[in-house]
Amino acid sequence: MPNADGSIVRLEGVHKWFGDNHVLRGIDLVLQEGDVQVVVGPSGGGKSTLLRCVNLLELPSQGHVWFDGQDITDVRTNLNEVRTHMGLVFQAFNLFPHMRALRNITLPLEKVLNLSRTEAEERAREQLQRVKLEGKADAYPGSLSGGQQQRVAIARALAMRPRLMLFDEVTSALDPELVGEVLQVMRELAADGMTMMVVTHEMGFAREVGTRMVFMDGGVIVEAGEPRETFANPRSPRLQEFLGEIL
Amino acid sequence: MSAEAARTDLPPPASLEAPPDIRGDSSPFARSILTLGACGLALVLVGTIAIQIFYAVAHTPDPQVCLANGIIPYQPATASGPASGIQGWQGVCNIVLGLTSRAETAVLVTGIVLGVASLGIGLLSYRKADTRRKRDHLVTGAVFGGQAVNFGILLLIFVQSPQKFVLQFMNFYQLRGHDGVALVTGIKYTLVLAFGGEIGGILIGLVVALLEISGRRSVRAPATVYINLFRGTPLLVQLSIGYFGINLGLGLHLSSFTVAIAVFALNMGAYSAEVFRAGIQSIERGQMEAARSVGMTYLQAMRYAIVPQAVRRVIPPLLNEFVILIKDTSLVIIIGLYLNQLDLFSAAQQGYSDTFSATFFLAASIGYLIVTLPMIGIVNAVERRLRSGLVSVAGGGV
């Protein structure tokens, strides 16, 4: 079994081409239950594409992705079912602008998990409370700040009770003073033992919260290791250069 | 020290109750130019209408004078001969007499003179005005004057010999009786045709648009063929093929009204499919990805996330297509409707063939305007609201 080692996600030899553009050049990655896997690296290095390959929003051109022992790159996989176990939070929030915050969260609960409206609303309010937005249940996304929208988006993903949360540069579109509140929610999530994969430019957050990190550049994993150790003593010249540029 | 002393000398910042009026005051001169231009324009337009009302209400035309104007008074049929002359000749004659009267000429000439005066003075003096409000009044007066000159000269040329035009286009008497009522019911059947076609077209268009944006070429191809066929051939030809070719030729025995609605729906379906496709594709990719990432199927994502947003954006272009369809229903005359369900243009055509008076077409134009102008108004209002962001709650805040 591919998850005999207890892995929740396993990527093997994942390649991705966009036309002639070879974005991922053979990625191998394993996530264990409870890992907070941070992915850092320069823009265009393939970080977001890698994350989107985990829940198959992008179909890998080559290679395999296992989730909980199931090869989800197999064409027979019911991807809609698999995706209910993986929450994804986007850089651009992507809340449904024509629905109130609460409805944004209950819609997939009712339509995908077939919960009753009362059950769905109960669960949604629980999650809004978790991201400290219980007062904004009836607000439309357009009337919320970026940080609030992103927390609703996190609540929407959490309400599905996923086994894995994927974060795709979730603070990059936020004004600097709003970054903290979103990071705080993610910090608490990690403390609760949620398995997470986080693509981020927040190096402080990566070092503090991550249990494992990879540094990606040019479509390959250049360096992997324990975050504090790796940030303190980068081995590869490329990571040394990268850290030198941003610090 | 001196700088500090100077600072305390400054008056405290004035607290204003309201933003100051930067337009300033007008002057009697500027106001009189504005009045002059407005009077000129009012004389030309209101004066002409007033003279017409006076003649229509308070004047009994002399048959001899009418005859001299080429308007033959109506003689009912007698034992010795059939009816002759023009029905409603008094009304037609009064319109002509009003237009050719001295009063009309006097009104027009005066209006033109006032117009020229305000136009000239306004244009020469507005640069020298020392407040914005003076300048506004002078320019507006000049514009009114220009319009008075424009309409005045056109009308002055027209009233030299309006007889034929009035006889052909302004014989409103002909609209009375059976044919006049037909125009009103004609509006009703025009609307039934248009709404039937529009509703059918929206349903077809939505489905075809979903096929059109499919990732599979085998699904896209039939949708593309359908859209190209119906957008690339004239509606007149489609009506003919549908009614003469398919309905009569193949013996379906449907009424021409039913066939017309079906053809309008198919034609509209092709156009609205393109509108819907553009609307759906204008929704950010992230919306579909967000819906799929929580496990929704493609169709669920469309149904709950994409289409509700797209619908808001396609309302103005769909209403535009609807206005076009309202006018295009007139083409139904090629297949011929039953006499008791004639559309507006068919009814007008019927009236024309009975009387050879183009007044029916003028009346039909007004009928179409009564329906289309409010629609155009709605389109503009919706577009304004969309622009100001009241309808589209979208934006996402990024």
Side-chain angles (χ1 to χ4, degrees), chain B residues 26 54 60 69 100 104 114 158 176 205 219 225 252 263 269 280 289 294 307 342 345 372 381 392-393:
Chain B
S26 189
F54 171 77
T60 311
N69 272 303
T100 52
E104 176 71 22
L114 294 184
F158 176 70
R176 286 162 59 173
V219 176
V225 168
L252 295 186
V263 172
I280 288 171
E289 293 178 348
V294 286
V307 171
L342 291 180
F345 180 66
T372 54
S392 93
V393 285

Side-chain angles (χ1 to χ4, degrees), chain A residues 52 55 57-58 79-81 83-84 86-88 90-99 103 107-108 111-112 140-142 144 146 149 156-157 160 173, chain B residues 283-298 300-310 312-313 391-398:
Chain A
R52 293 155 62 88
N55 80 344
L57 269 188
E58 300 292 354
L79 274 180
N80 295 321
E81 202 276 328
R83 285 188 184 129
T84 62
M86 298 191 233
L88 174 56
F90 299 84
Q91 179 177 359
F93 326 143
N94 295 343
L95 291 178
F96 306 129
H98 56 301
M99 296 175 187
R103 185 72 186 137
L107 179 76
K111 303 302 171 190
V112 180
Y140 281 100
L144 298 175
Q149 289 189 55
R156 174 171 70 183
M160 301 291 289
Chain B
I283 305 297
E284 303 71 28
R285 240 174 65 126
Q287 293 289 313
M288 172 60 84
E289 293 178 348
R292 298 307 301 275
S293 78
V294 286
M296 286 194 211
T297 64
Y298 176 80
Q300 280 178 324
M302 277 290 167
R303 158 104 174 65
Y304 297 110
I306 310 296
V307 171
Q309 294 182 61
R312 287 157 223 248
R313 296 192 192 179
V391 170
S392 93
V393 285
V398 185

Side-chain angles (χ1 to χ4, degrees), chain B residues 16-72:
Chain B
L16 292 167
E17 298 285 312
D21 181 7
I22 58 159
R23 299 179 64 211
D25 294 325
S26 189
S27 65
F29 170 70
R31 263 193 226 105
S32 59
I33 295 302
L34 178 63
T35 315
L36 204 62
C39 285
L41 187 57
L43 262 180
V44 168
L45 298 181
V46 182
T48 302
I49 293 169
I51 289 169
Q52 284 297 319
I53 291 173
F54 171 77
Y55 269 84
V57 172
H59 190 258
T60 311
D62 179 349
Q64 293 305 314
V65 177
C66 295
L67 204 53
N69 272 303
I71 297 155
I72 304 157

Side-chain angles (χ1 to χ4, degrees), chain A residues 83-158:
Chain A
R83 285 188 184 129
T84 62
H85 303 297
M86 298 191 233
L88 174 56
V89 185
F90 299 84
Q91 179 177 359
F93 326 143
N94 295 343
L95 291 178
F96 306 129
H98 56 301
M99 296 175 187
R100 297 173 194 277
L102 188 73
R103 185 72 186 137
N104 261 281
I105 305 173
T106 56
L107 179 76
L109 299 179
E110 286 176 34
K111 303 302 171 190
V112 180
L113 299 187
N114 294 319
L115 298 188
S116 73
R117 171 153 290 203
T118 37
E119 279 177 297
E121 289 194 355
E122 196 181 323
R123 230 197 237 195
R125 288 188 194 283
E126 219 169 81
Q127 295 305 330
L128 279 176
Q129 202 165 3
R130 187 170 184 176
V131 299
K132 303 191 176 52
L133 282 176
E134 55 271 38
K136 295 290 185 183
D138 290 328
Y140 281 100
S143 67
L144 298 175
S145 76
Q148 291 170 333
Q149 289 189 55
Q150 193 59 292
R151 281 144 67 198
V152 173
I154 293 174
R156 174 171 70 183
L158 286 176

Side-chain angles (χ1 to χ4, degrees), chain B residues 367-381:
Chain B
Y368 282 111
L369 285 173
I370 289 172
V371 180
T372 54
L373 286 185
M375 296 293 304
I376 293 169
I378 293 172
V379 175
N380 292 339

Side-chain angles (χ1 to χ4, degrees), chain A residues 16-186:
Chain A
K16 180 68 186 178
W17 277 267
F18 290 113
D20 291 334
N21 192 7
H22 196 176
V23 180
L24 295 181
R25 300 166 179 254
I27 302 287
D28 298 298
L29 192 69
V30 178
L31 254 76
Q32 306 290 344
E33 201 98 35
D35 276 348
V36 177
Q37 171 75 62
V38 293
V39 183
V40 299
S43 299
K47 307 184 298 295
S48 286
T49 307
L50 173 66
L51 192 81
R52 293 155 62 88
C53 277
V54 173
N55 80 344
L56 259 64
L57 269 188
E58 300 292 354
L59 184 66
S61 312
Q62 192 186 318
H64 292 272
V65 180
W66 275 277
F67 178 76
D68 202 18
Q70 183 186 10
D71 181 359
I72 61 173
T73 40
D74 186 322
V75 71
R76 290 164 296 187
T77 308
N78 179 357
L79 274 180
N80 295 321
E81 202 276 328
V82 170
R83 285 188 184 129
T84 62
H85 303 297
M86 298 191 233
L88 174 56
V89 185
F90 299 84
Q91 179 177 359
F93 326 143
N94 295 343
L95 291 178
F96 306 129
H98 56 301
M99 296 175 187
R100 297 173 194 277
L102 188 73
R103 185 72 186 137
N104 261 281
I105 305 173
T106 56
L107 179 76
L109 299 179
E110 286 176 34
K111 303 302 171 190
V112 180
L113 299 187
N114 294 319
L115 298 188
S116 73
R117 171 153 290 203
T118 37
E119 279 177 297
E121 289 194 355
E122 196 181 323
R123 230 197 237 195
R125 288 188 194 283
E126 219 169 81
Q127 295 305 330
L128 279 176
Q129 202 165 3
R130 187 170 184 176
V131 299
K132 303 191 176 52
L133 282 176
E134 55 271 38
K136 295 290 185 183
D138 290 328
Y140 281 100
S143 67
L144 298 175
S145 76
Q148 291 170 333
Q149 289 189 55
Q150 193 59 292
R151 281 144 67 198
V152 173
I154 293 174
R156 174 171 70 183
L158 286 176
M160 301 291 289
R161 303 214 171 129
R163 299 189 49 201
L164 166 70
M165 285 287 286
L166 307 169
F167 293 88
D168 186 6
E169 298 188 26
V170 295
T171 56
S172 300
L174 296 177
D175 292 337
E177 76 270 24
L178 302 178
V179 169
E181 63 191 50
V182 174
L183 291 184
Q184 183 55 33
V185 168
M186 293 167 66

